[in-house]
Amino acid sequence: DLAKVWDQLLMVRWSYCPIVILAFLAMVYLKGIRWSYLLKMQGHEYSVWNCFLIYMTSLFWGNVTPGRAGDFMKVLYLKEDLKLSMGTGMTSVLVDRVFDLYLLLIMGCLGILTNNMSANPDMIRLVWIFFGFLVFATLLAFNRKIGEVLIKAVFQRVLGKQLKEKANQAFDDFHAGMEAFYSPKILIPILLSAASYLIYFWACALLADSMGVHIPIFYIAFCISIVNIVSLLTFLGMGTRELALKFLFGLINLSVDQAMVYSALILLDGTLLFSILCFFCYLLKPVRSKKSE
């Protein structure tokens, strides 16, 4: 009912909007600290400010590319500023991205186990199978022997068969870079990830409060984790986000109209307005092409 959705939008406390955006900025800044630390573990000094600007830039391009593939343009900055090879640069970027993805997946799975869906034994079985898949995927990425065939095949597919030698070199650089992360110090980026997402989920709960709806932060964390994953399937998450929220909000007896209003707030604050800030960060630190040099 578009009329009801519009009426509820008019009742939203828009004064919450700047607070939510500031919280999103704080989340990204913590991620910048995390990425700077990961690079430091590899022996590369890259300022937190640079990491923050590049993170914001990658979020902008990630929002306008399928599957948020634009996130991996961070590799171009590392190649340009630190003179790292593509394989070496990919390691910190991939590990940084995996922290986010794993946290969202784990929160989503925990939400399934602790909420109404846990009544379905098939759903629980699927969750544990999925956890097993995550462990297996981690072994593929972090174990040189296990992952060699698969990762080399990926590099060769990206670079082309005619560049097989470069693919092999990229693989060797990738695993050489990964060795720096086999350390207890990796706990620090994990804690930074948890802190950044705690701020993020609090901001998302604040969006619900702006509608006059209180949702427990653990449940909102579960909902947003699912939404962020399914949003990868479509441009700006359009359609998939609404369907997910309609289902998840329905489990706690919130109406479809409330789900649509919340989706609109996420799109406005978390995507459109935030992307404008990200674009200004890109203007502050654009990728220089060879021609411009």
Side-chain angles (χ1 to χ4, degrees):
D1 191 329
L2 291 178
K4 287 185 179 180
V5 171
W6 180 251
D7 288 341
Q8 290 193 40
L9 276 173
L10 293 177
M11 295 172 62
V12 168
R13 296 179 213 169
W14 295 102
S15 58
Y16 284 36
C17 179
I19 301 173
V20 170
I21 291 178
L22 285 175
F24 288 163
L25 285 171
M27 175 197 69
V28 177
Y29 193 78
L30 283 176
K31 288 187 177 185
I33 296 174
R34 179 184 67 188
W35 189 32
S36 178
Y37 187 85
L38 289 172
L39 288 167
K40 191 172 183 179
M41 288 180 69
Q42 292 182 308
H44 309 297
E45 291 292 336
Y46 209 39
S47 71
V48 171
W49 178 245
N50 272 333
C51 289
F52 170 71
L53 288 178
I54 295 169
Y55 230 112
M56 292 288 284
T57 296
S58 69
L59 286 174
F60 169 74
W61 291 110
N63 282 336
V64 297
T65 53
R68 295 178 192 165
D71 284 357
F72 285 94
M73 73 179 299
K74 296 172 190 171
V75 179
L76 301 178
Y77 283 99
L78 295 179
K79 184 178 181 182
E80 180 182 285
D81 293 348
L82 300 182
K83 311 304 178 188
L84 300 183
S85 68
M86 294 293 285
T88 302
M90 183 66 76
T91 54
S92 67
V93 173
L94 183 62
V95 170
D96 184 77
R97 195 75 177 95
V98 163
F99 278 130
D100 292 339
L101 184 59
Y102 270 42
L103 194 146
L104 292 173
L105 290 172
I106 290 170
M107 288 298 296
C109 290
L110 288 176
I112 291 172
L113 293 174
T114 56
N115 288 286
N116 293 351
M117 290 79 76
S118 61
N120 187 335
D122 291 333
M123 182 69 76
I124 295 176
R125 194 177 300 113
L126 284 174
V127 168
W128 289 117
I129 291 173
F130 189 66
F131 270 128
F133 173 77
L134 288 182
V135 173
F136 179 67
T138 303
L139 289 174
L140 289 179
F142 283 85
N143 187 288
R144 186 182 182 94
K145 291 182 179 179
I146 296 176
E148 183 169 5
V149 175
L150 179 61
I151 296 175
K152 276 191 176 182
V154 172
F155 276 130
Q156 288 171 4
R157 186 175 183 81
V158 172
L159 298 174
K161 292 182 179 179
Q162 67 278 16
L163 297 175
K164 183 177 180 180
E165 196 171 309
K166 287 188 176 181
N168 291 336
Q169 182 61 49
F171 170 79
D172 292 337
D173 291 343
F174 176 83
H175 266 288
M178 289 294 289
E179 289 176 2
F181 302 130
Y182 304 146
S183 165
K185 292 181 179 179
I186 200 69
L187 288 175
I188 293 177
I190 292 174
L191 292 175
L192 286 169
S193 300
S196 67
Y197 272 97
L198 182 63
I199 293 172
Y200 177 57
F201 294 140
W202 172 79
C204 292
L206 195 62
L207 276 181
D209 287 341
S210 74
M211 298 166 47
V213 176
H214 177 71
I215 303 176
I217 191 167
F218 182 81
Y219 192 78
I220 203 71
F222 161 57
C223 292
I224 295 300
S225 298
I226 298 297
V227 166
N228 280 356
I229 294 168
V230 300
S231 294
L232 294 172
L233 302 175
T234 56
F235 178 69
L236 296 180
M238 299 295 288
T240 52
R241 177 178 55 249
E242 286 77 18
L243 285 172
L245 286 172
K246 174 185 173 183
F247 172 72
L248 295 168
F249 276 26
L251 293 176
I252 54 174
N253 299 317
L254 293 178
S255 68
V256 175
D257 298 329
Q258 289 171 314
M260 294 305 103
V261 171
Y262 189 77
S263 176
L265 292 176
I266 291 178
L267 179 64
L268 178 64
D269 287 356
T271 304
L272 299 180
L273 292 179
F274 198 70
S275 289
I276 293 173
L277 293 177
C278 292
F279 179 70
F280 281 118
C281 289
Y282 171 70
L283 295 180
L284 288 175
K285 192 171 177 59
V287 176
R288 293 190 303 271
S289 66
K290 291 183 178 180
K291 289 183 180 179
S292 64
E293 294 175 355

